[in-house]
Amino acid sequence: MPFARPSRRPFCALTVLFLTLAGPAPAQEDDSALVRIAFLKQLVDRPPALSNLDEASDDIGVSGGQLAIRDNNTTGRFIKQRFELDVSVVPADGDPVLAFAQLVADGHRLIITDLRVDTLLSIADRSDAKDVLIFNASASDDRLRNADCQPNLLHTTPSRAMLADALAQYLAWKRWSRWFLVVGRREEDRLFAAAIRRAANRFGAKIVEEKEWTYGPDARRTAQSQVPVFTQGIDYDVLMVADEIGEFGEYLAYRTWEPRPVAGTQGLVPTPWHRTHEQWGSVQLQNRFRETYGRWMAPVDYAVWMAVRSIGEAATRTGSADLASLAGYIRSDKFELAAFKGRKLTYRDWNGQLRQPILLAAPRSLVAVSPQKGFLHQVSELDTLGYDRPESGCKRK
Amino acid sequence: MRTIVRMVLTTAVGVIWSVGAQAVTVYVSNEKDNSISVIDGETYEVLRTVPVGQRPRGIILTKDHTRLLICASDDDHIEVLDLETLEVIGTLPSGPDPELFVMHPDGKLLYVANEDDNMVTVVDIEAGKVVAEVPVGVEPEGLGLSPDGRVLVNTSETTNMAHFIDTGTYEIFDNVLVDNRPRVAQFTKDGKYVWVSSEIGGTVSVIDTLTREVVQKISFEIPGVQEEAIQPVGVRLTSDGKLAFVALGPANRVAVIDQKTYEVKKYLLVGQRVWQMTFTPDEKRLFTTNGVSNDVSVIDVEKLRVRKSIAVGRFPWGVVVAP
């Protein structure tokens, strides 16, 4: 198999882009063991942009994977291992299940995905996926970690519960405990709101009011009159927004009846990665990403990077390229991943979720990193975020 | 009254101790302030704060002790600070993002870790030229040179290896896997072992330089401190082969280890996020940089006590002592 030569392999020729990518080509080392990884992504139809500030990019996730492959190959060169990433990008109206089947038929057993929850579940459930290890790098749905969990799924992206808990811990520390929850019109907004309600309950906050945002998606001309009325007459500390795609949340700050901070999906946001993050050597990762791809690393890039690095770490430590030993090692208690969060990251054995600190970021400053000091746990402080072993409905173990 | 007596006593003890100390000057790089703090090694007074290039981290003295070389990481070069005038008198090439360096015992060559470039750059100080580049793992950082100058050990933070480089040929002749995020490599005086700290792994690996096997892995346990906060970075070994000091980062402590038995004897409480350390030439004192509390702690090596903390600039990183 050719190495480090981008080669186009047509399958489902018109609808799917399929590339073989590898890191910087070290000298041809034919005796080195090859670890093949695939990244499967489905593009989504984006709503009209509300702001011209954020540039959307179709290579989100792909670049994170490529950078990690490069990192893995730099290491692999010393121990005769090399890593390859096959990227399969399916358009919004394409068939990701078919693309997945193609990857499996092509011999892939390590597949990283950027797919929506239903697609991911229908893939993980397939008979040809039984021997595939799937890394979910984008779906934050809690049901994937609980009732709908699958034995072949690992999650490098945090769940909504983890994000909400991370935010709640910080607000508890601030004693800003009365929340006014505003929920958007979409299903994912309702799921985020559910995670916020659960977090309030866990960390002693109270939802003093909850309202659905019914003014429609684009408030840029009307917010000044709508938001004060919408928030009038309520006594609260923090306005909590559930608006995952950003239809209205940005228009709440500075327009509320009372002067109150905004948090949730806008304002102070919980996120696995953010451009303001520079601690624990993350400047190095931010720099090499920006220099290579000309944009900031997105959370999904980071989640894909961690998935590829998890595989790389397992390959380095086991000295093996064999799927069973890699998967076994990743799931064992020996596994640990360094991912610029100031502590080692490991996978929860009950639902395959990667434990990780969560950043709390304002647009231009990192406010805090959760778990917050003082939230103790008998196993790992990181397990104060999200569904802990006794709470998870997952019966994979 | 009692307070006054105690104050007098403390001052007296302080004076006696500092009089006994060797007259030295301490230089500290302040990563976020773009400056070097110059500290009187006797009075512990900050004499001067000298503005230098962007993001100064690793610092080293030239062999004749007349100049301080500074890794100006964000300026992608090394600055030369004249210690007589305290002025930057020139620069040396370093390759991109120099973080840390070591000098050959003959004082002629510098080995620089280029963190953003997966490279170790070799610089001829006299000629001001790059003489070699050695490709290494991802995010190279720690550099340790064998006492005879023949073997250079480089650690790469994301590759998790100690690379053994022949300084005659600039070839890597071995790679030793260690725990996550190796930061610092330090040879024992006899050259038989190299100690490598792993920040995220929370351990120190002692590698036999002949067999390149990890002969000992040292871990740490401090009552009341979360395991995750124990993040070993700086390593210093006394040349009599007796003691090792390991800076434990956000655990805010320096571990004192027996170099022979590898037993941790004591944990010394210093400032917050302690990283780099250096001895006085007589090895009676050890200075530590505490990045979050913005100070330098002074450790009495004989008594194993922390004597003093000295406020410096923001994010103190490197520290050297000039006789």
Side-chain angles (χ1 to χ4, degrees), chain B residues 173-235:
Chain B
F173 62 92
D174 212 341
N175 302 287
V176 180
L177 203 56
V178 292
D179 283 344
N180 266 301
R181 211 168 158 77
R183 290 288 301 268
V184 162
Q186 192 74 36
F187 274 84
T188 53
K189 181 78 177 168
D190 59 13
K192 285 186 181 154
Y193 301 99
V194 61
W195 291 46
V196 175
S197 60
S198 292
E199 187 177 20
I200 294 294
T203 58
V204 171
S205 298
V206 181
I207 303 167
D208 184 318
T209 53
L210 277 183
T211 62
R212 263 94 59 200
E213 299 276 336
V214 176
V215 292
Q216 184 76 28
K217 207 171 262 188
I218 303 163
S219 40
F220 306 90
E221 212 173 308
I222 309 170
V225 175
Q226 277 279 321
E227 185 209 333
E228 284 108 341
I230 299 175
Q231 301 183 355
V233 178
V235 178

Side-chain angles (χ1 to χ4, degrees), chain A residues 113-166:
Chain A
T113 62
D114 175 6
L115 299 170
R116 298 180 69 89
V117 56
D118 295 325
T119 318
L120 185 57
L121 279 174
S122 57
I123 279 171
D125 212 23
R126 285 171 60 93
S127 59
D128 62 356
K130 250 181 30 201
D131 299 325
V132 178
L133 188 58
I134 303 172
F135 292 80
N136 164 31
S138 71
S140 55
D141 301 73
D142 285 291
R143 66 184 172 114
L144 287 171
R145 283 83 171 166
N146 298 332
D148 291 341
C149 72
Q150 298 288 330
N152 52 355
L153 263 184
L154 295 174
H155 313 275
T156 54
T157 196
S159 67
R160 288 189 179 94
M162 290 166 73
L163 298 173
D165 288 349

Side-chain angles (χ1 to χ4, degrees), chain A residues 71 74-75 77-79 278 280-281 284 287-288 309 313 316-317 336 338 340 342-344 380-381, chain B residues 32 115-116 135-139 158-161 163 172 175 177-178 180-181 200-201 226-228 231:
Chain A
D71 289 351
T74 305
T75 301
R77 191 177 68 195
F78 299 113
I79 44 174
E278 54 167 28
W280 303 303
Q284 273 84 252
N287 282 351
R288 61 176 187 271
R309 281 292 304 130
E313 182 64 17
T316 312
R317 299 286 167 187
E336 52 187 60
F340 306 95
R343 60 174 92 195
K344 54 190 134 185
S380 163
E381 282 181 0
Chain B
K32 294 268 172 175
E115 192 163 33
D116 276 0
V136 290
V138 185
E139 293 167 40
T158 293
T159 291
N160 303 324
M161 282 178 186
H163 308 287
I172 292 178
N175 302 287
L177 203 56
V178 292
N180 266 301
R181 211 168 158 77
I200 294 294
Q226 277 279 321
E227 185 209 333
E228 284 108 341
Q231 301 183 355

Side-chain angles (χ1 to χ4, degrees), chain A residues 9 47 98 106 163 167 188 192 227 282 337 351 373:
Chain A
R9 287 181 234 170
L98 180 66
D106 196 42
L163 298 173
L167 182 57
E188 55 261 42
F192 188 83
V227 178
S282 57
L337 182 69
N351 65 1
K373 274 206 178 91

